Amino acid sequence: MSTTHTPRMALAIPLGLMAGLGPLCIDLYLPALPQLATDLAVPTASAQLSLTAGLLGLGFGQLLFGPLSDKYGRCKPLLISLCILLLASIACSFAQTLPQLLTARLFQGLGGAGGAVLSRAVARDRFSGHELTRFFAMLLLVNGLAPILAPIIGGFLTAYMSWRGIFLVLAGITVVLLYLAKTRIEESLVVEKRSQGSLFSAWKLLIDVIRHRPFMGFCLTQGFMMSGMFAYIGASPFVLQETYGLSPQNFSLCFALNGFGLILASQISSRLCPKFGEYTILRCGLIIAFIASSCLLISGLLHASLPVFLVALFFSIASNAIISTTASSLAMQSQGHRAGSASAVIGVTMFTLGSIAIPITGIGGSSALAMGATIFGCFMMAIIMFIFVAKKPEIVQKRH
């Protein structure tokens, strides 16, 4: 392992791209989701299962790669996960039936999980406290380009190729990421700090992490917030294109605008944290999430015009960045020697809850009301977790 300290931005760029694998696997083919449903002759809810399968793979794959990275280091598991992603992306493009596609998507998510879990683990290896919060915000700045660019690129690609071609494009992107992982990301976990004993003992760390109440409180707060985000990801192609009549290209622009909101909110929150503390900023983010999701639910009930609906949606999605940045930092700060396992628990919680939320929006056909109600319900669960499970950690209490 190199002992040199990579400059923060030089480290954030490749790690942000690796962390962006999750959004990339989900967002790139979103504009083609209605086309996929037609091509495979399946209803909306069935087509959305391809999102669910990918999220399940992204979640449970982190339970695999997180403990592995605590025992064997960060780099080798990352390379293995990218190889799985490459093969699964090719398999997605050749799927002829929905079961074949769902199987390939499950492994695609599994492969993409490595980048998500290991980017957080490497960050925790190198940073702590407010520095960790700022680095998470920087990761989100780079990572935020994925939800902005992926649907725009996907909408553009949809005009020239089918959804199968989009998965081949994703395979090509994975080849580039393999090169970056091999040449730009240094090992950050020294041998002396790695998990000792058998591989089974590495997975036992997960139990210790789950038993840590402050960690799980912040983990569940973020998890339910992100499940609302995934409900938006799964339902928005149908709501905005079929209900409001947007073209795939215009849908991509709306999706990109919300991605810009994520980046803006993350940067603002990271700059406020040194002054007010992560706990206070997290609480303010939850208040914004409650107000915005309430407006979104009301706009769905009243069949509001597109501009009104989009404004409520913008602030609902932007609030996720405030909460994800601060809740992740507060959760990870207490798990320095178990960063890989802790990151895995955050990931599996987030993606499992998201995989449940997506099909709910498609029951009876996706609608603005169904999407708004699901997002509101997820955000309310996040607030409940914050109030009754999370507690102000000692590391925060000592600062204030």
Side-chain angles (χ1 to χ4, degrees), residues 324-397:
S324 293
T325 300
T326 52
S328 291
S329 180
L330 288 168
M332 292 292 288
Q333 284 177 38
S334 64
Q335 305 295 322
H337 64 293
R338 302 177 296 204
S341 297
S343 182
V345 173
I346 291 176
V348 74
T349 301
M350 177 172 61
F351 289 117
T352 300
L353 292 174
S355 68
I356 296 172
I358 287 176
I360 294 176
T361 65
I363 296 176
S366 292
S367 66
L369 176 58
M371 185 175 80
T374 305
I375 291 174
F376 176 78
C378 292
F379 286 9
M380 284 302 300
M381 285 300 301
I383 293 171
I384 291 171
M385 292 299 105
F386 176 77
I387 294 174
F388 294 105
V389 181
K391 62 179 181 179
K392 201 170 187 178
E394 293 181 3
I395 191 170
V396 176
Q397 291 172 344

Side-chain angles (χ1 to χ4, degrees), residues 110-153:
L110 183 72
V117 67
L118 294 172
S119 61
R120 288 191 298 266
V122 171
R124 183 59 187 90
D125 290 341
R126 295 183 178 275
F127 304 102
S128 61
H130 292 317
E131 286 294 312
L132 181 61
T133 303
R134 281 194 284 267
F135 190 78
F136 275 143
M138 194 175 294
L139 274 184
L140 192 57
L141 175 62
V142 179
N143 185 18
L145 293 175
I148 290 178
L149 296 178
I152 293 178
I153 296 172

Side-chain angles (χ1 to χ4, degrees), residues 7-325:
R8 188 179 298 155
M9 181 54 76
L11 182 62
I13 291 174
L15 285 183
L17 293 174
M18 300 301 167
L21 282 173
L24 197 64
C25 289
I26 301 301
D27 299 343
L28 191 64
Y29 83 115
L30 272 183
L33 197 56
Q35 178 195 100
L36 182 151
T38 301
D39 189 26
L40 296 181
V42 295
T44 296
S46 296
Q48 288 177 319
L49 288 177
S50 64
L51 291 170
T52 299
L55 289 175
L56 285 174
L58 281 165
F60 286 97
Q62 296 187 54
L63 290 179
L64 171 65
F65 292 111
L68 279 176
S69 74
D70 282 341
K71 182 171 179 59
Y72 298 110
R74 313 304 186 195
C75 289
K76 289 182 180 179
L78 178 59
L79 293 173
I80 293 172
S81 71
L82 289 173
C83 289
I84 295 173
L85 176 62
L86 174 61
L87 295 174
S89 298
I90 295 173
C92 285
S93 68
F94 289 100
Q96 298 299 314
T97 65
L98 183 63
Q100 291 176 3
L101 177 63
L102 295 182
T103 302
R105 283 286 294 165
L106 184 66
F107 279 95
Q108 189 180 48
L110 183 72
V117 67
L118 294 172
S119 61
R120 288 191 298 266
V122 171
R124 183 59 187 90
D125 290 341
R126 295 183 178 275
F127 304 102
S128 61
H130 292 317
E131 286 294 312
L132 181 61
T133 303
R134 281 194 284 267
F135 190 78
F136 275 143
M138 194 175 294
L139 274 184
L140 192 57
L141 175 62
V142 179
N143 185 18
L145 293 175
I148 290 178
L149 296 178
I152 293 178
I153 296 172
F156 175 80
L157 294 175
T158 301
Y160 297 95
M161 64 180 66
S162 69
W163 57 273
R164 299 181 187 278
I166 292 176
F167 282 119
L168 288 178
V169 171
L170 184 57
I173 294 172
T174 306
V175 173
V176 176
L177 293 179
L178 267 168
Y179 172 78
L180 289 176
K182 185 68 175 177
T183 61
R184 299 296 179 88
I185 298 180
E186 301 172 348
E187 181 57 61
S188 62
L189 186 64
V190 296
V191 175
E192 293 77 12
K193 292 186 177 181
R194 295 179 187 178
S195 174
Q196 303 301 313
S198 65
L199 183 59
F200 177 75
S201 66
W203 271 289
K204 288 178 64 177
L205 288 175
L206 292 170
I207 299 176
D208 296 332
V209 171
I210 292 171
R211 287 176 176 173
H212 195 269
R213 178 176 172 176
F215 169 85
M216 285 305 300
F218 295 117
C219 175
L220 289 170
T221 298
Q222 183 197 16
F224 276 108
M225 282 297 300
M226 288 302 297
S227 68
M229 168 75 84
F230 288 125
Y232 151 72
I233 290 173
S236 59
F238 299 96
V239 172
L240 295 180
Q241 293 184 67
E242 296 181 355
T243 301
Y244 284 102
L246 295 183
S247 66
Q249 290 73 32
N250 287 333
F251 159 74
S252 298
L253 292 175
C254 290
F255 202 90
L257 180 62
N258 289 329
F260 174 76
L262 281 170
I263 292 178
L264 183 63
S266 72
Q267 297 308 299
I268 292 175
S269 64
S270 70
R271 293 179 183 276
L272 292 176
C273 281
K275 182 176 182 180
F276 298 103
E278 286 86 354
Y279 189 87
T280 299
I281 300 302
L282 172 58
R283 186 167 50 192
C284 292
L286 289 169
I287 293 172
I288 295 172
F290 172 75
I291 296 172
S293 62
S294 298
C295 294
L296 184 67
L297 176 60
I298 293 172
S299 67
L301 282 168
L302 299 179
H303 304 287
S305 63
L306 180 61
V308 173
F309 183 79
L310 288 179
V311 169
L313 185 61
F314 176 87
F315 285 100
S316 296
I317 301 307
S319 66
N320 256 287
I322 302 173
I323 294 158
S324 293
T325 300

